[in-house]
Amino acid sequence: MSKKRIAIITVAFLVISYLIYSYFSPSSDDKVYLTSKVRKGNFISEVVTSGEVQSTSLKKITGPPNLRKFRLRDIKIQDLVPEGTIVKKGDYVGKLDPSGVNELILDARLNLEAEESKFTQQQLDTTLTLKQERNAVKDLRFSMEETKLELKQSIYEPPATIKGLENKLEKLERDFREKQENYKIKKRQANAKMVEVGTKVSKIRKELDDLLKLLESFTIYSDGNGMITYDKNWDGTKKKVGSTISPWQPSIATLPDLTKMESKTYANEVDIRKVEEGLPVKVGFDAFPDVELEGVVTDVANVGEKKRGSDIKVFQVLIKLKEIDKSIRPGMTTSNKILTFERKDVLSVPLEAVFTQDSITYVFKKSGFSINKKQVKIGDSNNDSVIIKEGLSENDEVYLNKPEGLDKSAIVKLN
């Protein structure tokens, strides 16, 4: 066969092939069609969330516990050691602004001086009053003794004189008894007044002592060993110099146990249905891309909460880290891959390759130069792919976007 004849046959074959492909393939000149092969292997479904590292065991460092007693609120933080500082029990952590308590101390000292002055004055008044009463009692006793002596010496006096002395003695005795009763009453009154004034002095002195102790507690020391991690304000920012604490929110910092760590994260309303306690998790860290630790879901919230700045509801999920890495610190951002299920040796295709028509699920399968609409039976899916139970084989090629001109083509049903 001549070379010319072979060339003519080859050209004819290519033309016919092109015509067949053009007839059975979409005719769009500008649309690009993507395909993917059916893969066989392990199929996993993951819920991916971002979160934050925190310790499951920590000690709180708080401000003075009795601020409410003295009606102190919004106490400013005057000084703090840098976050991340490793401290031991008794080490200095920070200091609160003492101006408010100093004013109370000044007022208490002035009140104490005034009440002590009243106490001293009351002592002098009581001493003088009781002294006068005792002298009056003594005078009456002396008058009674004199009258008794006169009465004794008047046995030879006229009866009228004797009677007069007897009446005088009786009156003196009555006045004496009355004066003694008055003295007892005034003494009790004086004692009660002294107790009242003394109680006020003791109360103010105790208040002053409490204020001085409160002032001492405005210097914050660590009550344990650990690494300083500052708490957050209501707006999500960390406590710092200039931040405030109150009797209702006295917490300043925490001392987390770095050997007991977890990732606190949130899942949306769709994903939370897949998450349950005990599921394994791969925890990554934005600060250390090469570090990935094993974790396990330990708690899933039953009640959702609104995400800040959004109407979307999210559910808190706690993930315990099963491994320890010394570089991991509280507050670091985590990437959590929660493994919701895994299937061994199954076929799968991308989600984009699966279509539905009249409750029939199908794919566009590439067969040589043609395309078939092939019914498939699907199984579980994840965010990217879906399991194919029937209808396809490994390495079959399917389209990821719908080819044009095949809408009315018949679907090849499963046997």
Side-chain angles (χ1 to χ4, degrees):
M1 186 180 293
S2 66
K3 292 183 179 179
K4 184 176 181 182
R5 185 178 179 84
I6 294 173
I8 293 171
I9 293 172
T10 302
V11 171
F13 176 76
L14 291 174
V15 171
I16 294 171
S17 297
Y18 175 76
L19 292 174
I20 293 173
Y21 178 77
S22 299
Y23 179 79
F24 289 102
S25 300
S27 59
S28 176
D29 294 329
D30 55 357
K31 188 167 184 179
V32 178
Y33 293 99
L34 302 176
T35 62
S36 175
K37 287 187 176 182
V38 179
R39 295 182 179 180
K40 186 174 184 180
N42 294 341
F43 185 90
I44 63 173
S45 175
E46 295 176 329
V47 172
V48 180
T49 65
S50 61
E52 183 177 294
V53 178
Q54 65 181 22
S55 175
T56 60
S57 177
L58 48 82
K59 288 185 177 180
K60 286 281 187 181
I61 297 178
T62 62
N66 52 348
L67 293 175
R68 188 180 300 182
K69 175 182 176 182
F70 297 101
R71 298 180 181 177
L72 291 170
R73 53 184 299 176
D74 298 330
I75 306 299
K76 280 192 175 183
I77 298 173
Q78 198 172 68
D79 184 42
L80 286 175
V81 299
E83 187 173 39
T85 301
I86 304 298
V87 296
K88 295 180 180 179
K89 186 174 183 179
D91 284 354
Y92 173 83
V93 173
K95 189 175 183 181
L96 303 177
D97 181 6
S99 56
V101 72
N102 281 335
E103 291 180 6
L104 294 178
I105 289 173
L106 179 60
D107 291 342
R109 281 176 172 158
L110 292 174
N111 290 337
L112 180 60
E113 289 178 5
E115 291 301 326
E116 284 179 336
S117 177
K118 288 182 182 179
F119 183 81
T120 301
Q121 186 62 46
Q122 185 63 38
Q123 276 185 317
L124 295 174
D125 291 345
T126 298
T127 300
L128 181 61
T129 299
L130 293 182
K131 183 179 181 180
Q132 290 173 345
E133 291 296 321
R134 285 194 297 272
N135 288 338
V137 170
K138 288 179 181 179
D139 291 343
L140 283 173
R141 182 181 286 114
F142 181 75
S143 297
M144 285 170 55
E145 295 298 328
E146 281 188 331
T147 303
K148 285 180 181 179
L149 183 60
E150 287 182 21
L151 183 60
K152 186 177 180 180
Q153 293 174 348
S154 64
I155 55 174
Y156 301 109
E157 296 292 333
T161 302
I162 295 173
K163 185 63 176 176
L165 291 172
E166 288 176 347
N167 291 338
K168 181 180 179 182
L169 180 59
E170 182 179 352
K171 182 177 182 303
L172 288 172
E173 288 176 343
R174 186 171 62 250
D175 290 344
F176 179 76
R177 289 193 297 272
E178 185 176 344
K179 205 66 173 174
Q180 279 186 317
E181 289 298 325
N182 288 343
Y183 174 75
K184 291 178 182 179
I185 293 172
K186 288 188 177 182
K187 186 176 181 180
R188 287 199 298 270
Q189 288 176 337
N191 288 338
K193 192 66 175 176
M194 287 299 297
V195 169
E196 180 183 351
V197 178
T199 299
K200 286 184 178 180
V201 171
S202 299
K203 182 179 179 181
I204 296 175
R205 186 174 289 128
K206 184 179 184 306
E207 181 181 348
L208 179 59
D209 291 340
D210 290 344
L211 284 168
L212 292 173
K213 290 179 181 177
L214 178 65
L215 181 60
E216 290 179 2
S217 67
F218 269 46
T219 302
I220 310 299
Y221 298 96
S222 172
D223 60 354
N225 302 331
M227 184 187 71
I228 295 292
T229 302
Y230 290 116
D231 286 349
K232 291 182 179 179
N233 297 305
W234 63 269
D235 59 357
T237 60
K238 291 265 184 131
K239 296 282 187 185
K240 60 182 180 180
V241 174
S243 298
T244 60
I245 65 168
S246 69
W248 300 274
Q249 292 181 326
S251 181
I252 297 174
T254 56
L255 293 173
D257 185 344
L258 301 183
T259 64
K260 300 176 181 177
M261 307 288 275
E262 67 181 1
S263 173
K264 182 173 75 170
T265 185
Y266 293 88
N268 60 41
E269 295 177 89
V270 175
D271 289 337
I272 197 64
R273 294 176 297 177
K274 308 174 188 177
V275 180
E276 58 185 29
E277 291 184 27
L279 291 178
V281 187
K282 295 284 186 182
V283 183
F285 304 88
D286 290 359
F288 304 101
D290 297 333
V291 177
E292 187 176 70
L293 303 180
E294 297 288 336
V296 61
V297 176
T298 56
D299 184 75
V300 180
N302 292 321
V303 180
E305 54 188 276
K306 282 191 176 181
K307 194 174 182 180
R308 185 182 295 274
S310 172
D311 291 332
I312 298 174
K313 278 196 174 181
V314 292
F315 294 77
Q316 180 178 280
V317 179
L318 298 181
I319 300 166
K320 179 182 178 182
L321 300 184
K322 298 167 70 175
E323 305 172 79
I324 301 300
D325 190 295
K326 292 183 179 180
S327 59
I328 303 306
R329 293 289 184 266
M332 286 185 173
T333 303
T334 61
S335 175
N336 310 281
K337 298 178 181 178
I338 305 171
L339 181 62
T340 57
F341 69 82
E342 183 176 9
R343 304 287 184 266
K344 302 284 187 180
D345 295 324
V346 294
L347 300 176
S348 66
V349 297
L351 288 172
E352 295 86 349
V354 179
F355 303 90
T356 303
Q357 179 179 319
D358 298 330
S359 301
I360 298 175
T361 304
Y362 65 94
V363 297
F364 290 97
K365 177 185 173 185
K366 187 174 183 181
S367 300
F369 293 109
S370 65
I371 302 174
N372 295 327
K373 290 173 69 174
K374 184 69 181 293
Q375 182 183 5
V376 292
K377 184 177 180 181
I378 63 173
D380 293 319
S381 64
N382 58 24
N383 292 332
D384 303 310
S385 305
V386 60
I387 294 175
I388 301 297
K389 291 184 174 181
E390 293 182 42
L392 294 173
S393 300
E394 185 178 3
N395 292 324
D396 283 348
E397 194 167 358
V398 294
Y399 282 82
L400 301 183
N401 47 350
K402 186 181 292 189
E404 292 182 356
L406 298 177
D407 289 340
K408 296 182 180 180
S409 299
I411 299 173
V412 179
K413 303 288 185 66
L414 293 172
N415 296 329

